[in-house]
PDB file of all heavy atoms in Angstrom:
ATOM      1  N   ASP T  56      94.068 119.879 106.324  1.00  0.00           N
ATOM      2  CA  ASP T  56      95.274 119.389 106.958  1.00  0.00           C
ATOM      3  C   ASP T  56      95.415 117.868 106.859  1.00  0.00           C
ATOM      4  O   ASP T  56      96.533 117.371 106.609  1.00  0.00           O
ATOM      5  CB  ASP T  56      95.342 119.786 108.437  1.00  0.00           C
ATOM      6  CG  ASP T  56      95.626 121.277 108.615  1.00  0.00           C
ATOM      7  OD1 ASP T  56      96.145 121.903 107.708  1.00  0.00           O
ATOM      8  OD2 ASP T  56      95.398 121.773 109.755  1.00  0.00           O
ATOM      9  N   ALA T  57      94.333 117.183 106.994  1.00  0.00           N
ATOM     10  CA  ALA T  57      94.340 115.706 106.882  1.00  0.00           C
ATOM     11  C   ALA T  57      94.745 115.293 105.484  1.00  0.00           C
ATOM     12  O   ALA T  57      95.551 114.384 105.270  1.00  0.00           O
ATOM     13  CB  ALA T  57      92.954 115.115 107.255  1.00  0.00           C
ATOM     14  N   ILE T  58      94.178 115.944 104.482  1.00  0.00           N
ATOM     15  CA  ILE T  58      94.529 115.653 103.081  1.00  0.00           C
ATOM     16  C   ILE T  58      95.990 116.016 102.783  1.00  0.00           C
ATOM     17  O   ILE T  58      96.730 115.285 102.136  1.00  0.00           O
ATOM     18  CB  ILE T  58      93.572 116.350 102.079  1.00  0.00           C
ATOM     19  CG1 ILE T  58      92.195 115.775 102.192  1.00  0.00           C
ATOM     20  CG2 ILE T  58      94.073 116.246 100.671  1.00  0.00           C
ATOM     21  CD1 ILE T  58      92.042 114.332 101.812  1.00  0.00           C
ATOM     22  N   ARG T  59      96.428 117.152 103.337  1.00  0.00           N
ATOM     23  CA  ARG T  59      97.833 117.565 103.149  1.00  0.00           C
ATOM     24  C   ARG T  59      98.774 116.538 103.715  1.00  0.00           C
ATOM     25  O   ARG T  59      99.766 116.193 103.082  1.00  0.00           O
ATOM     26  CB  ARG T  59      98.023 118.919 103.793  1.00  0.00           C
ATOM     27  CG  ARG T  59      99.428 119.546 103.530  1.00  0.00           C
ATOM     28  CD  ARG T  59      99.665 120.843 104.238  1.00  0.00           C
ATOM     29  NE  ARG T  59      99.352 120.772 105.701  1.00  0.00           N
ATOM     30  CZ  ARG T  59     100.064 120.110 106.633  1.00  0.00           C
ATOM     31  NH1 ARG T  59     101.162 119.470 106.223  1.00  0.00           N
ATOM     32  NH2 ARG T  59      99.722 120.138 107.875  1.00  0.00           N
ATOM     33  N   LYS T  60      98.484 116.064 104.874  1.00  0.00           N
ATOM     34  CA  LYS T  60      99.355 114.987 105.506  1.00  0.00           C
ATOM     35  C   LYS T  60      99.299 113.705 104.710  1.00  0.00           C
ATOM     36  O   LYS T  60     100.324 113.055 104.508  1.00  0.00           O
ATOM     37  CB  LYS T  60      98.889 114.727 106.931  1.00  0.00           C
ATOM     38  CG  LYS T  60      99.237 115.876 107.886  1.00  0.00           C
ATOM     39  CD  LYS T  60      98.699 115.628 109.264  1.00  0.00           C
ATOM     40  CE  LYS T  60      98.937 116.856 110.157  1.00  0.00           C
ATOM     41  NZ  LYS T  60      98.327 116.715 111.452  1.00  0.00           N
ATOM     42  N   PHE T  61      98.072 113.341 104.239  1.00  0.00           N
ATOM     43  CA  PHE T  61      97.961 112.175 103.407  1.00  0.00           C
ATOM     44  C   PHE T  61      98.781 112.259 102.135  1.00  0.00           C
ATOM     45  O   PHE T  61      99.520 111.322 101.796  1.00  0.00           O
ATOM     46  CB  PHE T  61      96.457 111.926 103.074  1.00  0.00           C
ATOM     47  CG  PHE T  61      96.193 110.820 102.102  1.00  0.00           C
ATOM     48  CD1 PHE T  61      96.382 109.501 102.506  1.00  0.00           C
ATOM     49  CD2 PHE T  61      95.763 111.082 100.825  1.00  0.00           C
ATOM     50  CE1 PHE T  61      96.106 108.463 101.590  1.00  0.00           C
ATOM     51  CE2 PHE T  61      95.482 110.059  99.948  1.00  0.00           C
ATOM     52  CZ  PHE T  61      95.674 108.723 100.316  1.00  0.00           C
ATOM     53  N   LEU T  62      98.733 113.371 101.467  1.00  0.00           N
ATOM     54  CA  LEU T  62      99.505 113.582 100.247  1.00  0.00           C
ATOM     55  C   LEU T  62     101.033 113.633 100.558  1.00  0.00           C
ATOM     56  O   LEU T  62     101.833 113.073  99.770  1.00  0.00           O
ATOM     57  CB  LEU T  62      99.088 114.863  99.522  1.00  0.00           C
ATOM     58  CG  LEU T  62      97.649 114.859  98.984  1.00  0.00           C
ATOM     59  CD1 LEU T  62      97.287 116.220  98.435  1.00  0.00           C
ATOM     60  CD2 LEU T  62      97.485 113.783  97.925  1.00  0.00           C
ATOM     61  N   ALA T  63     101.391 114.197 101.675  1.00  0.00           N
ATOM     62  CA  ALA T  63     102.812 114.174 102.076  1.00  0.00           C
ATOM     63  C   ALA T  63     103.293 112.754 102.287  1.00  0.00           C
ATOM     64  O   ALA T  63     104.472 112.412 101.903  1.00  0.00           O
ATOM     65  CB  ALA T  63     103.024 114.989 103.336  1.00  0.00           C
ATOM     66  N   LEU T  64     102.468 111.893 102.830  1.00  0.00           N
ATOM     67  CA  LEU T  64     102.869 110.501 103.042  1.00  0.00           C
ATOM     68  C   LEU T  64     102.979 109.776 101.669  1.00  0.00           C
ATOM     69  O   LEU T  64     103.875 108.954 101.496  1.00  0.00           O
ATOM     70  CB  LEU T  64     101.839 109.760 103.918  1.00  0.00           C
ATOM     71  CG  LEU T  64     101.903 110.185 105.404  1.00  0.00           C
ATOM     72  CD1 LEU T  64     100.630 109.663 106.074  1.00  0.00           C
ATOM     73  CD2 LEU T  64     103.102 109.664 106.063  1.00  0.00           C
ATOM     74  N   LEU T  65     102.125 110.116 100.738  1.00  0.00           N
ATOM     75  CA  LEU T  65     102.204 109.478  99.408  1.00  0.00           C
ATOM     76  C   LEU T  65     103.460 109.914  98.677  1.00  0.00           C
ATOM     77  O   LEU T  65     103.966 109.191  97.807  1.00  0.00           O
ATOM     78  CB  LEU T  65     100.975 109.828  98.556  1.00  0.00           C
ATOM     79  CG  LEU T  65      99.631 109.245  99.026  1.00  0.00           C
ATOM     80  CD1 LEU T  65      98.519 109.588  98.037  1.00  0.00           C
ATOM     81  CD2 LEU T  65      99.702 107.717  99.196  1.00  0.00           C
ATOM     82  N   GLU T  66     103.966 111.106  98.993  1.00  0.00           N
ATOM     83  CA  GLU T  66     105.195 111.618  98.325  1.00  0.00           C
ATOM     84  C   GLU T  66     106.375 110.719  98.646  1.00  0.00           C
ATOM     85  O   GLU T  66     107.381 110.756  97.918  1.00  0.00           O
ATOM     86  CB  GLU T  66     105.514 113.050  98.802  1.00  0.00           C
ATOM     87  CG  GLU T  66     104.602 114.103  98.225  1.00  0.00           C
ATOM     88  CD  GLU T  66     104.910 115.453  98.809  1.00  0.00           C
ATOM     89  OE1 GLU T  66     105.872 115.642  99.593  1.00  0.00           O
ATOM     90  OE2 GLU T  66     104.133 116.396  98.483  1.00  0.00           O
ATOM     91  N   ASP T  67     106.292 109.883  99.700  1.00  0.00           N
ATOM     92  CA  ASP T  67     107.370 108.991 100.092  1.00  0.00           C
ATOM     93  C   ASP T  67     107.178 107.570  99.591  1.00  0.00           C
ATOM     94  O   ASP T  67     107.964 106.703  99.892  1.00  0.00           O
ATOM     95  CB  ASP T  67     107.554 109.061 101.574  1.00  0.00           C
ATOM     96  CG  ASP T  67     108.852 108.342 102.042  1.00  0.00           C
ATOM     97  OD1 ASP T  67     109.882 108.567 101.353  1.00  0.00           O
ATOM     98  OD2 ASP T  67     108.804 107.613 102.998  1.00  0.00           O
ATOM     99  N   ARG T  68     106.089 107.297  98.875  1.00  0.00           N
ATOM    100  CA  ARG T  68     105.790 105.903  98.418  1.00  0.00           C
ATOM    101  C   ARG T  68     106.379 105.752  97.082  1.00  0.00           C
ATOM    102  O   ARG T  68     105.746 106.096  96.066  1.00  0.00           O
ATOM    103  CB  ARG T  68     104.267 105.652  98.416  1.00  0.00           C
ATOM    104  CG  ARG T  68     103.607 105.751  99.770  1.00  0.00           C
ATOM    105  CD  ARG T  68     103.889 104.556 100.673  1.00  0.00           C
ATOM    106  NE  ARG T  68     105.021 104.819 101.534  1.00  0.00           N
ATOM    107  CZ  ARG T  68     105.867 103.937 101.948  1.00  0.00           C
ATOM    108  NH1 ARG T  68     105.835 102.718 101.561  1.00  0.00           N
ATOM    109  NH2 ARG T  68     106.828 104.256 102.736  1.00  0.00           N
ATOM    110  N   PHE T  72     106.060 106.104  91.847  1.00  0.00           N
ATOM    111  CA  PHE T  72     106.779 106.918  90.866  1.00  0.00           C
ATOM    112  C   PHE T  72     108.180 106.391  90.459  1.00  0.00           C
ATOM    113  O   PHE T  72     108.813 106.968  89.579  1.00  0.00           O
ATOM    114  CB  PHE T  72     106.903 108.392  91.298  1.00  0.00           C
ATOM    115  CG  PHE T  72     107.459 108.515  92.723  1.00  0.00           C
ATOM    116  CD1 PHE T  72     108.815 108.395  92.984  1.00  0.00           C
ATOM    117  CD2 PHE T  72     106.596 108.786  93.765  1.00  0.00           C
ATOM    118  CE1 PHE T  72     109.306 108.537  94.242  1.00  0.00           C
ATOM    119  CE2 PHE T  72     107.094 108.916  95.070  1.00  0.00           C
ATOM    120  CZ  PHE T  72     108.431 108.791  95.303  1.00  0.00           C
ATOM    121  N   GLU T  93      97.295 104.017 105.006  1.00  0.00           N
ATOM    122  CA  GLU T  93      97.162 105.461 105.091  1.00  0.00           C
ATOM    123  C   GLU T  93      95.813 105.924 104.641  1.00  0.00           C
ATOM    124  O   GLU T  93      95.257 106.897 105.155  1.00  0.00           O
ATOM    125  CB  GLU T  93      98.274 106.135 104.334  1.00  0.00           C
ATOM    126  CG  GLU T  93      99.680 105.904 104.863  1.00  0.00           C
ATOM    127  CD  GLU T  93      99.856 106.334 106.299  1.00  0.00           C
ATOM    128  OE1 GLU T  93      99.150 107.277 106.730  1.00  0.00           O
ATOM    129  OE2 GLU T  93     100.690 105.753 106.995  1.00  0.00           O
ATOM    130  N   ILE T 183      96.053 122.290  97.297  1.00  0.00           N
ATOM    131  CA  ILE T 183      97.330 121.838  97.877  1.00  0.00           C
ATOM    132  C   ILE T 183      98.256 121.539  96.728  1.00  0.00           C
ATOM    133  O   ILE T 183      97.915 120.819  95.817  1.00  0.00           O
ATOM    134  CB  ILE T 183      97.142 120.596  98.740  1.00  0.00           C
ATOM    135  CG1 ILE T 183      96.195 120.895  99.912  1.00  0.00           C
ATOM    136  CG2 ILE T 183      98.462 120.063  99.217  1.00  0.00           C
ATOM    137  CD1 ILE T 183      95.799 119.629 100.696  1.00  0.00           C
ATOM    138  N   GLU T 184      99.437 122.089  96.771  1.00  0.00           N
ATOM    139  CA  GLU T 184     100.409 121.883  95.754  1.00  0.00           C
ATOM    140  C   GLU T 184     101.076 120.519  95.966  1.00  0.00           C
ATOM    141  O   GLU T 184     101.435 120.119  97.060  1.00  0.00           O
ATOM    142  CB  GLU T 184     101.488 122.970  95.736  1.00  0.00           C
ATOM    143  CG  GLU T 184     102.395 122.957  94.562  1.00  0.00           C
ATOM    144  CD  GLU T 184     103.286 124.209  94.517  1.00  0.00           C
ATOM    145  OE1 GLU T 184     102.870 125.245  94.976  1.00  0.00           O
ATOM    146  OE2 GLU T 184     104.401 124.081  93.944  1.00  0.00           O
ATOM    147  N   ILE T 185     101.270 119.794  94.877  1.00  0.00           N
ATOM    148  CA  ILE T 185     101.981 118.496  94.950  1.00  0.00           C
ATOM    149  C   ILE T 185     103.456 118.718  94.678  1.00  0.00           C
ATOM    150  O   ILE T 185     103.830 119.436  93.766  1.00  0.00           O
ATOM    151  CB  ILE T 185     101.388 117.517  93.878  1.00  0.00           C
ATOM    152  CG1 ILE T 185      99.859 117.418  94.018  1.00  0.00           C
ATOM    153  CG2 ILE T 185     102.062 116.166  93.957  1.00  0.00           C
ATOM    154  CD1 ILE T 185      99.372 116.898  95.358  1.00  0.00           C
ATOM    155  N   HIS T 186     104.275 118.055  95.492  1.00  0.00           N
ATOM    156  CA  HIS T 186     105.736 118.248  95.422  1.00  0.00           C
ATOM    157  C   HIS T 186     106.434 116.922  95.091  1.00  0.00           C
ATOM    158  O   HIS T 186     105.869 115.861  95.192  1.00  0.00           O
ATOM    159  CB  HIS T 186     106.262 118.788  96.763  1.00  0.00           C
ATOM    160  CG  HIS T 186     105.642 120.051  97.181  1.00  0.00           C
ATOM    161  ND1 HIS T 186     106.038 121.266  96.653  1.00  0.00           N
ATOM    162  CD2 HIS T 186     104.678 120.349  98.068  1.00  0.00           C
ATOM    163  CE1 HIS T 186     105.358 122.249  97.176  1.00  0.00           C
ATOM    164  NE2 HIS T 186     104.518 121.711  98.034  1.00  0.00           N
ATOM    165  N   LEU T 189     106.150 112.727  93.210  1.00  0.00           N
ATOM    166  CA  LEU T 189     104.737 112.402  93.029  1.00  0.00           C
ATOM    167  C   LEU T 189     104.130 113.143  91.877  1.00  0.00           C
ATOM    168  O   LEU T 189     103.130 112.674  91.245  1.00  0.00           O
ATOM    169  CB  LEU T 189     103.972 112.752  94.324  1.00  0.00           C
ATOM    170  CG  LEU T 189     102.609 112.130  94.545  1.00  0.00           C
ATOM    171  CD1 LEU T 189     102.650 110.622  94.443  1.00  0.00           C
ATOM    172  CD2 LEU T 189     102.019 112.522  95.884  1.00  0.00           C
TER     173      LEU T 189
END
Side-chain angles (χ1 to χ4, degrees):
D56 285 342
I58 293 295
R59 186 185 50 72
K60 288 176 185 174
F61 174 70
L62 293 174
L64 289 166
L65 292 183
E66 287 176 6
D67 191 42
R68 298 286 95 214
F72 52 77
E93 294 302 332
I183 299 171
E184 190 172 332
I185 305 301
H186 300 282
L189 197 56

